[in-house]
Amino acid sequence: MTSRDPLHRALHDPGDPPLRPLPDRAAELLRALDAPPRLAAHLRAVHDVAYGLVEWLARQHPQLPLDREAVLFGAATHDIGKSVHTAELSGPGSAHEAAGRELLLAHGVAPHLARFAATHASWTAPAVTIEDLLVSLADKAWKNKRVPELEDLVVGALAEASGRTAWEEFLDLDDLLTDVGEGAEERLAFQGAYPV
């Protein structure tokens, strides 16, 4: 691949402001699948927001049991099924969810990491974890979309872990998501610069 290759650029261009690179395993999978460049750019934007969320949680809630690497890998691969269901890159659809999980499993990804491809749009499902909620939250917050039902679930998990009131946790999370939302235009422009 050359630096002129759109997928290579989507995986490596710094962005403005800079976006963190995807975990190596996620980037390798996208290359192996010859994923659409726009998908790679989207996954970088969501992964970058997820990184900010887990860093914030490490500072604000060090007592919260959290699989940081699972959240980051989940954010980096949650829409990988769109490499098969490419119409869902620019239109509605949920076929990519189960397909993404199966695709990841077929490429040797452990089930606890592959699950995010199927769970990122179903945060009210039974047995949802804080990791699932954070991947879902990053997938909304990257473009400044606020989903009260999802945020309430995150707030509840934080309040349970911290012993603070839900209102206190909401205020802190709201401040964070407001800050994240301020970078949405740049992330949307980064994603939009790459072809479907």
Side-chain angles (χ1 to χ4, degrees):
M1 285 186 205
T2 68
S3 60
R4 295 179 187 267
D5 175 60
L7 178 57
H8 179 85
R9 286 188 299 106
L11 289 170
H12 298 285
D13 281 357
D16 183 26
L19 296 174
R20 290 168 185 85
L22 293 176
D24 290 341
R25 179 72 172 124
E28 289 166 10
L29 285 166
L30 291 170
R31 281 190 212 97
L33 296 168
D34 195 25
R38 176 141 328 146
L39 174 59
H42 169 68
L43 293 173
R44 278 194 61 204
V46 175
H47 170 265
D48 193 67
V49 169
Y51 190 95
L53 290 174
V54 296
E55 290 295 301
W56 178 79
L57 285 170
R59 290 188 307 274
Q60 297 292 115
H61 295 280
Q63 77 287 356
L64 181 70
L66 177 70
D67 186 341
R68 179 182 192 277
E69 297 309 313
V71 171
L72 296 177
F73 188 83
T77 59
H78 74 281
D79 273 348
I80 203 160
K82 289 184 180 182
S83 62
V84 176
H85 296 279
T86 55
E88 293 182 16
L89 281 166
S90 57
S94 59
H96 73 277
E97 295 164 14
R101 181 181 180 279
E102 294 307 314
L103 189 63
L104 290 169
L105 291 172
H107 280 83
V109 174
H112 80 281
L113 296 175
R115 78 175 193 263
F116 297 103
T119 64
H120 69 274
S122 55
W123 51 82
T124 59
V128 70
T129 67
I130 187 65
E131 290 84 3
D132 296 303
L133 294 174
L134 292 172
V135 170
S136 299
L137 186 62
D139 190 33
K140 299 300 180 191
W142 80 275
K143 60 184 174 184
N144 200 24
K145 183 171 184 180
R146 302 291 298 262
V147 182
E149 178 186 34
L150 172 57
E151 292 175 27
D152 287 347
L153 292 169
V154 174
V155 163
L158 297 179
E160 184 178 324
S162 70
R164 293 175 28 166
T165 68
W167 180 245
E168 291 172 298
E169 295 298 350
F170 169 78
L171 290 174
D172 287 349
L173 182 65
D174 183 61
D175 286 345
L176 173 67
L177 294 178
T178 298
D179 289 345
V180 167
E182 290 176 5
E185 255 184 63
E186 291 82 2
R187 288 186 294 272
L188 284 162
F190 179 81
Q191 175 183 287
Y194 297 95
V196 174

